[in-house]
Amino acid sequence: MKRVAYVSTDPGVPVFGSKGASVHVQAVVRELLRRGTEVHLVTARLGGDLPRGLGGVVVHELPRITGTPGREREESARRSARAAADVLARVHSDTPLDLVMERYSLWSDAAMTWARACDVPGVLEVNSPLVDEQAQHRVLADRVGAEAIARRAFDAADSVVAVSEPVARWVLDRTDNRNVTVVPNGVDTRYIRPGLEGRPQAASHLDQRGEPRAASHLDQRGEPRAASHLDQRGEPRAASHLDQQTPFVIGFVGTLKPWHGVEVLVEAFARLARTDDGTRLRLVGDGPQRAAIEAQAERLAVADRVDLVGAVAPERMPEELARMDLAVAPYPQLPDFYFSPLKLYEYLAAGLPVVASDIGPVGEVLDGGHLGVLVTPGDETELAAALAGLRSDAALRAELGDLGRRAAVSRHDWSLVVSRILTTVPVRPPSLADDLLGRSA
């Protein structure tokens, strides 16, 4: 494909920003550019300077969205989104587009309906059940209108790509379009790599057949072993034999919002800290729960060992991950977990041992516990035990980090993800005009 338009009309997604959604947009565009594609980025919000690897992208800014939350802002978002069709028409009139990709947003069906009308293949990426999200967590005045727009966008797309099974089900409930495919998020493994300094080297993790050995934290049935490093009170055992000179850094990356479970991680860390004064907790990200987390750390007497770094640009993420000795995804119990967590793929690519809640697709990403330690969502005691177990087992940390890195490269690199997305686009037979002009798909 020689010319692709990528459309993001959501004002909540600054395409040059540092949010997870922003990273997703940048990664897809970057991979298309790597392939020699001419990419036109149509967006309602830039949000920062040009990120790495996006030199050459042609940016088209849509009208700014204004107004107070509710009907005024929703109507402004509709007008801005409709302008995307005019931009696509201008770009297409210069030289025909080969594909329109759009990140589904609440008030936009313009890109997919334009692509359908102009016989240009269209792919719609759906990353969350936005209508439900907006109604539950923000302000949604016109739900009927938002549902209608979603249906039109889903119906018009040649291919709908959902990041998880729950999101795919949400889409299928709203469309007769059956070309809906689950393609989870990915990671740039050429950019995020292990920071090897100070890390123990893994013992051989392959058996005589070249297959990964059974991880030592699993029993003969493949289930996680009991946490024998807890004392009789259920607290982590004292780690007096551990090197206390260099702090052992437990890390988290993500926004500080309730559905990320950071308060559970702080509680688990406090339990570990009572018997291990060589550990620190590093929280990379920002959000509305920051003040509550700071207060919690003070209350638990670990504020001097909890580093709240704040939000960082994607370019700084490899540096931040390299500061960590293990990484955590401490999701609480949620009724409908529909995420495809970018943080998990970044942890694996960085060669970090991972502790994560066993919820939604997390267990699948971690191969049922073979690529990391899975814990019960929201259980701070079990999480503290898992942290203590990895803290005391350098060989297992190295083994898990090595296996995770290999999995990231072989399964989750953005180059593979973009290829999966592109293969969902139905191949259209060339038209007579294509034959006469010498164009091919």
Side-chain angles (χ1 to χ4, degrees):
M1 291 185 177
K2 298 177 181 178
R3 299 185 90 229
V4 174
Y6 190 103
V7 180
S8 174
T9 68
D10 191 338
V13 180
V15 294
F16 290 171
S18 60
K19 297 173 62 173
S22 309
V23 171
H24 178 109
V25 173
Q26 293 163 25
V28 173
V29 172
R30 185 180 297 115
E31 180 56 33
L32 291 170
L33 290 169
R34 280 175 175 164
R35 299 177 183 212
T37 306
E38 179 184 320
V39 181
H40 292 258
L41 179 58
V42 184
T43 179
R45 184 180 172 195
L46 284 175
D49 297 328
L50 186 72
R52 66 173 183 88
L54 296 191
V57 67
V58 182
V59 176
H60 305 265
E61 291 190 67
L62 296 172
R64 182 169 173 265
I65 296 169
T66 60
T68 56
R71 292 191 180 276
E72 182 183 7
R73 188 168 181 83
E74 290 171 11
E75 184 53 40
S76 177
R78 282 188 176 94
R79 290 194 299 270
S80 179
R82 285 195 292 267
D86 296 332
V87 174
L88 293 173
R90 289 197 301 273
V91 173
H92 189 62
S93 66
D94 294 336
T95 303
L97 288 164
D98 298 305
L99 178 68
V100 175
M101 298 182 71
E102 181 173 20
R103 182 183 177 94
Y104 163 62
S105 62
L106 200 58
W107 303 110
S108 175
D109 61 359
M112 289 298 100
T113 53
W114 178 89
R116 172 68 65 178
C118 295
D119 201 32
V120 177
V123 177
L124 187 65
E125 294 183 313
V126 184
N127 295 274
S128 66
L130 276 181
V131 178
D132 296 347
E133 264 191 6
Q134 187 77 9
Q136 182 177 355
H137 301 293
R138 291 178 284 274
V139 176
L140 181 56
D142 184 9
R143 179 162 190 150
V144 172
E147 291 278 11
I149 286 172
R151 284 193 298 273
R152 290 196 296 270
F154 300 160
D155 288 346
D158 289 290
S159 166
V160 179
V161 174
V163 293
S164 67
E165 290 288 352
V167 172
R169 291 193 297 270
W170 186 82
V171 171
L172 289 167
D173 286 344
R174 289 161 172 78
T175 182
D176 293 327
N177 187 348
R178 299 296 96 179
N179 191 17
V180 178
T181 308
V182 175
V183 180
N185 279 319
V187 62
D188 188 344
T189 61
R190 284 167 283 192
Y191 191 65
I192 295 183
R193 304 176 61 85
L196 297 177
E197 295 80 2
R199 296 244 175 99
Q201 295 298 311
S204 176
H205 58 279
L206 302 179
D207 61 21
Q208 293 178 338
R209 298 168 299 172
E211 297 292 328
R213 298 184 188 277
S216 59
H217 61 291
L218 303 177
D219 63 20
Q220 293 178 338
R221 297 169 299 170
E223 299 292 331
R225 296 186 185 277
S228 59
H229 47 278
L230 297 182
D231 63 21
Q232 293 177 338
R233 298 165 303 176
E235 297 290 340
R237 296 185 187 280
S240 58
H241 61 289
L242 300 172
D243 178 16
Q244 304 295 326
Q245 299 303 311
T246 302
F248 182 86
V249 179
I250 297 166
F252 165 86
V253 174
T255 53
L256 305 182
K257 293 183 177 179
W259 51 84
H260 284 156
V262 181
E263 70 283 354
V264 177
L265 174 57
V266 174
E267 176 65 40
F269 173 74
R271 293 188 181 207
L272 175 64
R274 291 170 194 158
T275 56
D276 184 351
D277 60 8
T279 55
R280 296 193 69 83
L281 179 61
R282 190 171 184 83
L283 306 177
V284 181
D286 212 341
Q289 282 198 296
R290 181 181 181 119
I293 290 167
E294 290 174 334
Q296 181 187 18
E298 287 282 357
R299 186 175 68 255
L300 295 171
V302 292
D304 60 333
R305 293 166 62 182
V306 176
D307 301 313
L308 284 99
V309 178
V312 302
E315 287 75 15
R316 282 186 52 199
M317 192 54 64
E319 171 191 338
E320 286 296 334
L321 292 168
R323 294 173 180 267
M324 301 174 187
D325 293 287
L326 70 83
V328 189
Y331 293 103
Q333 187 62 56
L334 298 169
D336 188 12
F337 188 97
Y338 53 79
F339 311 111
S340 175
L342 280 168
K343 65 170 63 63
L344 276 184
Y345 303 113
E346 291 177 342
Y347 294 166
L348 295 176
L352 288 167
V354 178
V355 179
S357 299
D358 190 4
I359 187 171
V362 172
E364 182 180 351
V365 175
L366 295 182
D367 278 358
H370 288 85
L371 298 180
V373 179
L374 294 168
V375 297
T376 303
D379 190 328
E380 59 263 19
T381 301
E382 191 175 333
L383 178 55
L387 298 176
L390 281 176
R391 162 69 160 136
S392 65
D393 194 336
L396 179 57
R397 293 200 306 272
E399 180 182 6
L400 290 175
D402 191 31
L403 288 172
R405 170 67 187 178
R406 288 170 181 258
V409 172
S410 64
R411 306 177 199 172
H412 305 303
D413 188 83
W414 277 114
S415 61
L416 304 173
V417 173
V418 171
S419 291
R420 291 172 192 138
I421 292 172
L422 295 178
T423 58
T424 70
V425 183
V427 177
R428 298 183 179 181
S431 67
L432 177 60
D434 290 330
D435 290 338
L436 292 174
L437 294 173
R439 295 197 300 256
S440 59

